[in-house]
Amino acid sequence: MKTIICLLGFFLAWVALPAQMLTSSNLPIISIKTNGQTILNEPKIMADMGIIYNGADARNNISDAFNHYNGKIGIEIRGQSSQMFPMKSYSIELRDNAGNSTDKSLFGLPKESDWVLYAPYSDKTLMRNFLAYTMSREMGHWAANCRYVEVILNGSYVGIYVLMEKIKRNSGRVNISKMAATDVSGDALTGGYIFSIDKEPDGWYSSYAPYSNANNARIRYSYVTPKLSAITIEQSNYLIKYVDSFENALSKSGEIAHLNDWKKFGDEASFVDFFIVNEISRNVDGYRLSSYFHKDRDSKKGKIIAGPVWDYDLAFRNANYCKGSDIEGWAYQFNTTCPDDFFQIPFWWDHFLKNQSFQDNLKCRWKQLRTTSLSLSRINLLIDSVYTLTAEARQRHFQKWPILGQYVWPNPQPIASSYGAEIDFLKSWIESRMNWIDKNIPNEGPCYDYPENLPESITITGSPNPVTASYSLILKSKVQQQVEILVADALGRRVFARQLAVNAGYNRLEVDMRSWQTGIYFFRFVAASGEKMVQKVLKQ
């Protein structure tokens, strides 16, 4: 259960270190002045922000002019459990002098008014969100771009922050159709929407209870775009009905006649990739909190797309509860691991992992990514890039926040004594985690890997039994070979014969038995290796 325990002496005092401890940096410098106001949880207050950025590979001096941004902002504290930390994360809205939002490009990113200044306090590697977002983006999805900066707040140095794009409908972010209040019928009503599973109370509840929970938990969806204050009754009803249709179809995915009906409503490839990012990171909040989904208009092939990914500060071995730091086990089985936690995972993922198509595509996607963006060398390169980029600024950051070697909720044991040890732990854990997934990911479909320790050269299974229409044969072979298939009835009369060229790996054959008489049939298999098998099948 996710329990926040505040121990005496847990928080470090916010010592007002002067800005002079930062004279220059290889990172951009952001200075914020609130002019005597206190930054609130909400609403945003008006403040001044200046950014010093002299370009890639150039030094940024605190004495330089604000040459990248110099103007008004709205600012408020963001986050939920992270608000207890002395280093706060902030939501930033760029504004003109009249207080109106204004879109501008920061650090070469698409123009927008809304940004996030993320405080990597409990994440002492400073990079867990960066890693997850980069993984997803390299899979082909939009995910928040990150820029490392150093921040001065009201004249005091407050450390390394990560300036990130906020999840928002925009041609440069979540690129779906913009909805107006008049879009209440036809194709215009069908998108675009962004919704989430999170703690916000502004939304609706799923009709399906999560599995294995002890507190009568319910899955709650929240409106993101259009937000609650802007969505019309027609739009709200449409989105709820569409998500209901997706869930209704998915709930029937165990039935032969409805195996893949859910694909009419959900984009399978996006759910596969969403699963992979959550599992490789073993995100303890994955699937159940900060989980976003979006849908464009039907005319743009609008199905529910999983993502963008968001909020991975407690992932990659940074949670000491609900097995969040374990190398083994699946994150999607959280409800079984922590059935008493109120925030549970929807039934979707349990059904996905029992769906043959999802398993097949998951295996193929995993194999592909392990040789490209999820290769160990690529991940270590990303980690090393941040290690190098922040080397200078880290000295100031951890002087301001001397937490290395200290417990910060919810760091798992053992706690690294230095930043280098933090990185060693991260690299070692990720390598072990990926190796575990390699061995435990569903091994089915066209990308099947024949187990090296099996002495047989081929295994053959069939289903269903009894059969009324088609008998599905799955042949898994260590090598490419010929297999003879002979079928006889109970009197020994041959009713079917086939010489089948079997490829190394996974093979499937459908035997149409609809015209066969009811009764017992014997399927005999003879492989080129000389191995023989028999299956007894009842035709109804």
Side-chain angles (χ1 to χ4, degrees), residues 249-504:
L250 188 58
S251 72
K252 298 177 181 178
S253 59
E255 305 170 21
I256 296 296
H258 301 284
L259 276 176
N260 295 307
D261 285 357
W262 62 272
K263 292 185 185 181
K264 300 173 185 175
F265 306 98
D267 179 78
E268 182 179 31
S270 71
F271 283 94
V272 166
D273 285 357
F274 191 85
F275 177 88
I276 288 173
V277 176
N278 276 291
E279 291 301 337
I280 197 172
S281 64
R282 184 133 197 187
N283 186 5
V284 75
D285 282 349
Y287 311 109
R288 66 192 190 97
L289 294 169
S290 299
S291 290
Y292 287 81
F293 309 89
H294 60 281
K295 180 196 180 303
D296 209 342
R297 291 180 176 173
D298 286 351
S299 59
K300 298 182 178 180
K301 300 180 180 179
K303 297 181 181 180
I304 296 173
I305 295 177
V309 298
W310 188 254
D311 197 5
Y312 283 74
D313 57 321
L314 302 186
F316 299 106
R317 191 197 170 270
N318 199 33
N320 63 359
Y321 59 92
C322 297
K323 299 185 178 181
S325 63
D326 285 11
I327 290 168
E328 299 182 355
W330 295 108
Y332 84 90
Q333 294 176 339
F334 178 93
N335 298 3
T336 302
T337 303
C338 279
D340 57 342
D341 194 295
F342 182 77
F343 296 100
Q344 297 277 290
I345 292 174
F347 77 96
W348 305 359
W349 302 96
D350 184 76
H351 278 236
F352 284 147
L353 269 295
K354 293 176 181 175
N355 181 268
Q356 188 66 56
S357 171
F358 192 90
Q359 289 184 25
D360 294 352
N361 290 318
L362 174 61
K363 175 68 175 183
C364 289
R365 184 64 163 154
W366 176 254
K367 288 184 71 173
Q368 175 204 9
L369 293 171
R370 286 290 276 125
T371 62
T372 53
S373 61
L374 293 186
S375 67
L376 187 61
S377 61
R378 174 57 183 164
I379 292 175
N380 284 340
L381 182 64
L382 292 174
I383 294 172
D384 291 342
S385 71
V386 176
Y387 182 91
T388 300
L389 179 68
T390 62
E392 174 193 332
R394 282 200 311 272
Q395 308 307 312
R396 291 183 287 268
H397 178 85
F398 288 114
Q399 180 183 349
K400 169 64 182 178
W401 309 111
I403 56 176
L404 291 175
Q406 306 294 319
Y407 172 77
V408 177
W409 181 87
N411 298 160
Q413 297 290 339
I415 295 173
S417 60
S418 66
Y419 186 78
E422 286 281 353
I423 299 305
D424 289 343
F425 279 0
L426 177 66
K427 284 184 172 181
S428 175
W429 187 90
I430 290 176
E431 180 177 6
S432 297
R433 178 65 178 165
M434 291 196 301
N435 289 339
W436 184 87
I437 296 176
D438 285 339
K439 296 174 183 176
N440 291 275
I441 200 162
N443 190 21
E444 299 293 340
C447 298
Y448 172 82
D449 292 318
Y450 200 87
E452 295 180 359
N453 59 349
L454 273 186
E456 302 87 0
S457 73
I458 190 167
T459 63
I460 304 174
T461 58
S463 64
N465 193 4
V467 60
T468 56
S470 180
Y471 189 56
S472 179
L473 289 168
I474 306 298
L475 302 93
K476 299 174 181 178
S477 181
K478 184 178 293 187
V479 296
Q480 184 175 353
Q481 60 180 311
Q482 290 285 325
V483 175
E484 182 181 30
I485 305 174
L486 299 173
V487 183
D489 63 16
L491 298 177
R493 295 173 297 191
R494 180 180 297 185
V495 296
F496 181 88
R498 175 76 62 86
Q499 285 285 339
L500 186 65
V502 173
N503 294 316

Side-chain angles (χ1 to χ4, degrees), residues 471 484-498 511 513 516-525 533-539:
Y471 189 56
E484 182 181 30
I485 305 174
L486 299 173
V487 183
D489 63 16
L491 298 177
R493 295 173 297 191
R494 180 180 297 185
V495 296
F496 181 88
R498 175 76 62 86
V511 180
M513 299 176 62
W516 297 14
Q517 298 295 317
T518 58
I520 300 294
Y521 292 88
F522 295 92
F523 281 68
R524 293 179 173 86
F525 308 93
M533 287 155 277
V534 177
Q535 293 177 5
K536 182 180 178 180
V537 179
L538 173 61
K539 168 64 168 61

